[in-house]
C-alpha cells in the first residue's frame, strides 16, 4: 500500500469576486507496482457581470466560492481505479442599468466534501461524478437602486466508502442546479431577497 499527502491551494482575488479552490487528498505514486490508479479532477468556471451602466455608484458585491476537500484514499490490492470528476459552473449577472446605485449582493457558494475511501481487493472501479451549476440573474433595469440580495449555497457531502472484495464497480453521480431570477423592471428599488440553500448527503 503506497500513499502520500498532497495539498494544492489556489486563491484568486478580483475587484468584484473571490474565487477559491482547495483540494486535500492522498494520491498514489506514479510508480505503484500494483497498478492502482487514483485521479482527482476539478474543473471550475466563474463569471461575474455586476455593472453600473448610468449615473450612480457601483457598490455591488459579487462573490463566488468553490471548495473541494477529499479525505484519505487507501488501497490494498491490484488494478484498482479511483476517479473523482468535479465540475463547478458559477455565473452572476447583477447589473443596475439606469439612474440609481448598484448595491447588489450576489453570492454563489459550492462546498464539496469527499470522505475517506478504503479499498481492499483487486480490479475494483470507484467513480464519483459531481456537477454543480449556480446562476444569479438579479438586475435593476430602470430607475431606482439595485439593493437585491441573491444567494445560492450548496454543500455536497459523500460519506466514507469501505470496499472489500474484487471486481466491484461503484458509481456515484451528483447533479445540482440552483438559479435565482430576481429582476426589477419598474422605477422602484429592487429590494428582493432570493436564496437557494441545499445540503446533500450521499452514501456510495
Amino acid at each position: 500500500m503506497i500513499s502520500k499527502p498532497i495539498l494544492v491551494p489556489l486563491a484568486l482575488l478580483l475587484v468584484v469576486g473571490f474565487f477559491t479552490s482547495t483540494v486535500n487528498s492522498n494520491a498514489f505514486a506514479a510508480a505503484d507496482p500494483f497498478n492502482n490508479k487514483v485521479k482527482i479532477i476539478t474543473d471550475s468556471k466563474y463569471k461575474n457581470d455586476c455593472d453600473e451602466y448610468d449615473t450612480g455608484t457601483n457598490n455591488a458585491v459579487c462573490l463566488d466560492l468553490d471548495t473541494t476537500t477529499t479525505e484519505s484514499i487507501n488501497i490494498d490490492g491490484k488494478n484498482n481505479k479511483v476517479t473523482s470528476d468535479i465540475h463547478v459552473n458559477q455565473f452572476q449577472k447583477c447589473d443596475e442599468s439606469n439612474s440609481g446605485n448598484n448595491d447588489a449582493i450576489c453570492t454563489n457558494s459550492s462546498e464539496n466534501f469527499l470522505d475517506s475511501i478504503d479499498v481492499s481487493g483487486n480490479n475494483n472501479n470507484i467513480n464519483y461524478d459531481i456537477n454543480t451549476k449556480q446562476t444569479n440573474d438579479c438586475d435593476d433595469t430602470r430607475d431606482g437602486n439595485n439593493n437585491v440580495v441573491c444567494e445560492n449555497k450548496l454543500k455536497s457531502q459523500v460519506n466514507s466508502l469501505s470496499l472489500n472484495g474484487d471486481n466491484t464497480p461503484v458509481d456515484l453521480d451528483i447533479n445540482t442546479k440552483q438559479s435565482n431570477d430576481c429582476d426589477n423592471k419598474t422605477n422602484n428599488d429592487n429590494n428582493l431577497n432570493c436564496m437557494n440553500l441545499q445540503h446533500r448527503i450521499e452514501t456510495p
Side-chain angles (χ1 to χ4, degrees), residues 16-17 48-50 60-64 91-95 102-109 136-139 146 148-152 180 194:
V16 293
N48 284 325
D49 181 0
C50 304
V61 176
C62 291
L63 186 66
D64 289 315
F91 173 76
Q92 304 197 96
K93 184 176 180 294
C94 302
D95 296 330
N102 190 358
D103 297 316
I105 299 176
C106 296
T107 305
N108 286 318
S109 174
N136 285 318
D137 184 358
C138 305
D139 298 323
N146 191 4
V148 71
V149 177
C150 288
E151 179 180 9
N152 291 311
N180 288 312
C194 302

Short mmCIF file of all heavy atoms in Angstrom, two decimals, residues 16-17 48-50 60-64 91-95 102-109 136-139 146 148-152 180 194:
data_model
loop_
_atom_site.label_atom_id
_atom_site.label_comp_id
_atom_site.label_asym_id
_atom_site.label_seq_id
_atom_site.Cartn_x
_atom_site.Cartn_y
_atom_site.Cartn_z
N VAL A 16 -14.50 42.34 -7.99
CA VAL A 16 -15.90 42.01 -7.70
C VAL A 16 -16.09 40.54 -7.32
O VAL A 16 -17.21 40.08 -7.24
CB VAL A 16 -16.81 42.33 -8.92
CG1 VAL A 16 -16.86 43.81 -9.16
CG2 VAL A 16 -16.34 41.58 -10.16
N GLY A 17 -15.02 39.82 -7.09
CA GLY A 17 -15.24 38.42 -6.76
C GLY A 17 -14.06 37.81 -6.04
O GLY A 17 -12.93 38.29 -6.12
N ASN A 48 -18.63 36.80 -13.43
CA ASN A 48 -19.40 37.83 -12.74
C ASN A 48 -19.63 39.01 -13.68
O ASN A 48 -18.68 39.53 -14.28
CB ASN A 48 -18.66 38.33 -11.49
CG ASN A 48 -18.74 37.34 -10.35
OD1 ASN A 48 -19.75 36.67 -10.20
ND2 ASN A 48 -17.69 37.24 -9.55
N ASP A 49 -20.90 39.42 -13.80
CA ASP A 49 -21.28 40.59 -14.60
C ASP A 49 -22.11 41.48 -13.69
O ASP A 49 -23.33 41.31 -13.57
CB ASP A 49 -22.07 40.13 -15.83
CG ASP A 49 -22.47 41.30 -16.73
OD1 ASP A 49 -22.12 42.44 -16.39
OD2 ASP A 49 -23.13 41.06 -17.75
N CYS A 50 -21.47 42.42 -13.02
CA CYS A 50 -22.11 43.24 -11.98
C CYS A 50 -21.77 44.71 -12.26
O CYS A 50 -20.94 45.31 -11.58
CB CYS A 50 -21.62 42.82 -10.61
SG CYS A 50 -21.90 41.05 -10.26
N ALA A 60 -21.63 47.11 -5.92
CA ALA A 60 -22.01 45.69 -5.98
C ALA A 60 -20.93 44.80 -5.39
O ALA A 60 -19.73 45.03 -5.55
CB ALA A 60 -22.30 45.29 -7.42
N VAL A 61 -21.40 43.76 -4.71
CA VAL A 61 -20.51 42.71 -4.20
C VAL A 61 -20.94 41.40 -4.86
O VAL A 61 -22.05 40.92 -4.63
CB VAL A 61 -20.59 42.58 -2.67
CG1 VAL A 61 -19.74 41.41 -2.19
CG2 VAL A 61 -20.15 43.87 -2.00
N CYS A 62 -20.07 40.85 -5.68
CA CYS A 62 -20.35 39.58 -6.36
C CYS A 62 -19.28 38.58 -5.95
O CYS A 62 -18.09 38.81 -6.21
CB CYS A 62 -20.37 39.77 -7.87
SG CYS A 62 -21.78 40.75 -8.44
N LEU A 63 -19.70 37.49 -5.34
CA LEU A 63 -18.77 36.57 -4.69
C LEU A 63 -19.03 35.15 -5.16
O LEU A 63 -20.15 34.67 -5.11
CB LEU A 63 -18.95 36.68 -3.18
CG LEU A 63 -17.98 35.92 -2.29
CD1 LEU A 63 -16.58 36.48 -2.41
CD2 LEU A 63 -18.45 35.99 -0.84
N ASP A 64 -17.98 34.48 -5.63
CA ASP A 64 -18.03 33.07 -5.98
C ASP A 64 -17.07 32.30 -5.07
O ASP A 64 -15.88 32.64 -5.00
CB ASP A 64 -17.62 32.84 -7.43
CG ASP A 64 -18.65 33.34 -8.41
OD1 ASP A 64 -19.85 33.09 -8.21
OD2 ASP A 64 -18.26 33.99 -9.38
N PHE A 91 -22.22 31.53 -12.32
CA PHE A 91 -22.44 32.72 -13.16
C PHE A 91 -23.32 33.71 -12.40
O PHE A 91 -24.30 33.32 -11.75
CB PHE A 91 -23.12 32.32 -14.47
CG PHE A 91 -23.53 33.50 -15.31
CD1 PHE A 91 -22.59 34.22 -16.03
CD2 PHE A 91 -24.85 33.90 -15.37
CE1 PHE A 91 -22.95 35.31 -16.80
CE2 PHE A 91 -25.23 34.99 -16.13
CZ PHE A 91 -24.27 35.70 -16.85
N GLN A 92 -22.97 35.01 -12.50
CA GLN A 92 -23.76 36.05 -11.86
C GLN A 92 -23.92 37.26 -12.77
O GLN A 92 -22.94 37.73 -13.36
CB GLN A 92 -23.11 36.48 -10.54
CG GLN A 92 -22.88 35.31 -9.60
CD GLN A 92 -22.63 35.73 -8.19
OE1 GLN A 92 -23.54 35.75 -7.38
NE2 GLN A 92 -21.40 36.05 -7.86
N LYS A 93 -25.15 37.76 -12.87
CA LYS A 93 -25.45 38.97 -13.62
C LYS A 93 -26.33 39.83 -12.72
O LYS A 93 -27.53 39.59 -12.58
CB LYS A 93 -26.16 38.64 -14.93
CG LYS A 93 -26.41 39.86 -15.82
CD LYS A 93 -27.02 39.43 -17.15
CE LYS A 93 -27.27 40.64 -18.05
NZ LYS A 93 -28.31 41.54 -17.48
N CYS A 94 -25.72 40.83 -12.10
CA CYS A 94 -26.39 41.68 -11.11
C CYS A 94 -26.08 43.14 -11.45
O CYS A 94 -25.27 43.79 -10.79
CB CYS A 94 -25.92 41.32 -9.70
SG CYS A 94 -26.22 39.59 -9.25
N ASP A 95 -26.75 43.63 -12.49
CA ASP A 95 -26.48 44.96 -13.02
C ASP A 95 -27.49 46.00 -12.52
O ASP A 95 -28.58 45.66 -12.06
CB ASP A 95 -26.54 44.94 -14.55
CG ASP A 95 -25.46 44.07 -15.17
OD1 ASP A 95 -24.39 43.95 -14.56
OD2 ASP A 95 -25.72 43.51 -16.25
N ASN A 102 -25.90 50.74 -7.69
CA ASN A 102 -25.86 49.27 -7.70
C ASN A 102 -25.29 48.79 -6.38
O ASN A 102 -24.07 48.81 -6.17
CB ASN A 102 -25.02 48.76 -8.87
CG ASN A 102 -25.17 47.25 -9.06
OD1 ASN A 102 -25.88 46.60 -8.29
ND2 ASN A 102 -24.55 46.72 -10.09
N ASP A 103 -26.19 48.40 -5.46
CA ASP A 103 -25.80 47.89 -4.14
C ASP A 103 -26.10 46.40 -4.02
O ASP A 103 -26.30 45.89 -2.92
CB ASP A 103 -26.53 48.67 -3.04
CG ASP A 103 -26.15 50.15 -3.03
OD1 ASP A 103 -24.95 50.43 -3.14
OD2 ASP A 103 -27.05 51.01 -2.92
N ALA A 104 -26.12 45.72 -5.15
CA ALA A 104 -26.46 44.29 -5.16
C ALA A 104 -25.43 43.47 -4.39
O ALA A 104 -24.23 43.77 -4.41
CB ALA A 104 -26.57 43.79 -6.59
N ILE A 105 -25.93 42.43 -3.73
CA ILE A 105 -25.06 41.43 -3.09
C ILE A 105 -25.43 40.07 -3.69
O ILE A 105 -26.53 39.56 -3.46
CB ILE A 105 -25.22 41.41 -1.57
CG1 ILE A 105 -24.84 42.77 -0.98
CG2 ILE A 105 -24.37 40.31 -0.95
CD1 ILE A 105 -25.08 42.87 0.51
N CYS A 106 -24.53 39.51 -4.47
CA CYS A 106 -24.80 38.25 -5.17
C CYS A 106 -23.71 37.24 -4.81
O CYS A 106 -22.52 37.55 -4.94
CB CYS A 106 -24.85 38.47 -6.67
SG CYS A 106 -26.20 39.56 -7.20
N THR A 107 -24.13 36.05 -4.40
CA THR A 107 -23.17 35.06 -3.91
C THR A 107 -23.50 33.67 -4.44
O THR A 107 -24.66 33.24 -4.40
CB THR A 107 -23.18 35.00 -2.37
OG1 THR A 107 -22.93 36.30 -1.84
CG2 THR A 107 -22.12 34.05 -1.85
N ASN A 108 -22.49 32.99 -4.94
CA ASN A 108 -22.55 31.56 -5.23
C ASN A 108 -21.54 30.84 -4.36
O ASN A 108 -20.36 31.22 -4.33
CB ASN A 108 -22.22 31.28 -6.70
CG ASN A 108 -23.33 31.69 -7.64
OD1 ASN A 108 -24.50 31.46 -7.37
ND2 ASN A 108 -22.97 32.27 -8.78
N SER A 109 -21.98 29.81 -3.65
CA SER A 109 -21.09 29.07 -2.77
C SER A 109 -21.29 27.57 -2.98
O SER A 109 -22.41 27.07 -2.86
CB SER A 109 -21.35 29.43 -1.30
OG SER A 109 -20.58 28.63 -0.43
N ASN A 136 -27.10 33.43 -10.71
CA ASN A 136 -27.86 34.57 -10.19
C ASN A 136 -28.08 35.57 -11.32
O ASN A 136 -27.12 36.02 -11.95
CB ASN A 136 -27.11 35.28 -9.05
CG ASN A 136 -27.17 34.50 -7.75
OD1 ASN A 136 -28.21 33.96 -7.39
ND2 ASN A 136 -26.06 34.44 -7.03
N ASP A 137 -29.35 35.90 -11.59
CA ASP A 137 -29.71 36.93 -12.57
C ASP A 137 -30.61 37.91 -11.85
O ASP A 137 -31.82 37.73 -11.77
CB ASP A 137 -30.42 36.29 -13.77
CG ASP A 137 -30.71 37.30 -14.87
OD1 ASP A 137 -30.39 38.49 -14.68
OD2 ASP A 137 -31.28 36.91 -15.90
N CYS A 138 -30.03 38.97 -11.29
CA CYS A 138 -30.72 39.85 -10.34
C CYS A 138 -30.42 41.31 -10.69
O CYS A 138 -29.61 41.97 -10.03
CB CYS A 138 -30.28 39.53 -8.91
SG CYS A 138 -30.50 37.77 -8.47
N ASP A 139 -31.09 41.82 -11.71
CA ASP A 139 -30.82 43.16 -12.23
C ASP A 139 -31.88 44.16 -11.79
O ASP A 139 -33.00 43.80 -11.41
CB ASP A 139 -30.80 43.14 -13.76
CG ASP A 139 -29.71 42.26 -14.33
OD1 ASP A 139 -28.61 42.23 -13.74
OD2 ASP A 139 -29.95 41.59 -15.35
N ASN A 146 -30.45 49.17 -7.04
CA ASN A 146 -30.47 47.71 -7.02
C ASN A 146 -29.92 47.24 -5.68
O ASN A 146 -28.71 47.16 -5.47
CB ASN A 146 -29.63 47.14 -8.17
CG ASN A 146 -29.84 45.64 -8.33
OD1 ASN A 146 -30.67 45.05 -7.64
ND2 ASN A 146 -29.11 45.04 -9.26
N VAL A 148 -30.76 44.31 -4.31
CA VAL A 148 -31.11 42.89 -4.28
C VAL A 148 -30.05 42.08 -3.53
O VAL A 148 -28.86 42.42 -3.51
CB VAL A 148 -31.26 42.36 -5.73
CG1 VAL A 148 -29.91 42.27 -6.42
CG2 VAL A 148 -31.98 41.02 -5.76
N VAL A 149 -30.50 41.01 -2.88
CA VAL A 149 -29.62 40.01 -2.27
C VAL A 149 -29.97 38.67 -2.88
O VAL A 149 -31.09 38.17 -2.71
CB VAL A 149 -29.78 39.96 -0.73
CG1 VAL A 149 -28.90 38.85 -0.15
CG2 VAL A 149 -29.42 41.30 -0.11
N CYS A 150 -29.04 38.08 -3.62
CA CYS A 150 -29.25 36.79 -4.27
C CYS A 150 -28.15 35.83 -3.83
O CYS A 150 -26.96 36.15 -3.93
CB CYS A 150 -29.23 36.94 -5.79
SG CYS A 150 -30.69 37.76 -6.46
N GLU A 151 -28.56 34.66 -3.35
CA GLU A 151 -27.58 33.71 -2.82
C GLU A 151 -27.94 32.29 -3.23
O GLU A 151 -29.08 31.85 -3.09
CB GLU A 151 -27.52 33.80 -1.29
CG GLU A 151 -26.52 32.83 -0.68
CD GLU A 151 -26.47 32.92 0.84
OE1 GLU A 151 -27.32 33.61 1.44
OE2 GLU A 151 -25.58 32.29 1.44
N ASN A 152 -26.95 31.58 -3.74
CA ASN A 152 -27.01 30.13 -3.94
C ASN A 152 -25.96 29.50 -3.04
O ASN A 152 -24.78 29.86 -3.09
CB ASN A 152 -26.72 29.75 -5.39
CG ASN A 152 -27.82 30.18 -6.34
OD1 ASN A 152 -29.00 29.92 -6.09
ND2 ASN A 152 -27.45 30.83 -7.43
N ASN A 180 -31.36 31.81 -9.31
CA ASN A 180 -32.19 32.93 -8.87
C ASN A 180 -32.40 33.88 -10.03
O ASN A 180 -31.43 34.31 -10.68
CB ASN A 180 -31.52 33.70 -7.71
CG ASN A 180 -31.53 32.92 -6.41
OD1 ASN A 180 -32.55 32.39 -6.01
ND2 ASN A 180 -30.38 32.85 -5.74
N CYS A 194 -33.46 36.76 -2.55
CA CYS A 194 -33.68 35.46 -3.18
C CYS A 194 -32.57 34.51 -2.74
O CYS A 194 -31.39 34.85 -2.79
CB CYS A 194 -33.68 35.59 -4.70
SG CYS A 194 -34.93 36.74 -5.32
#
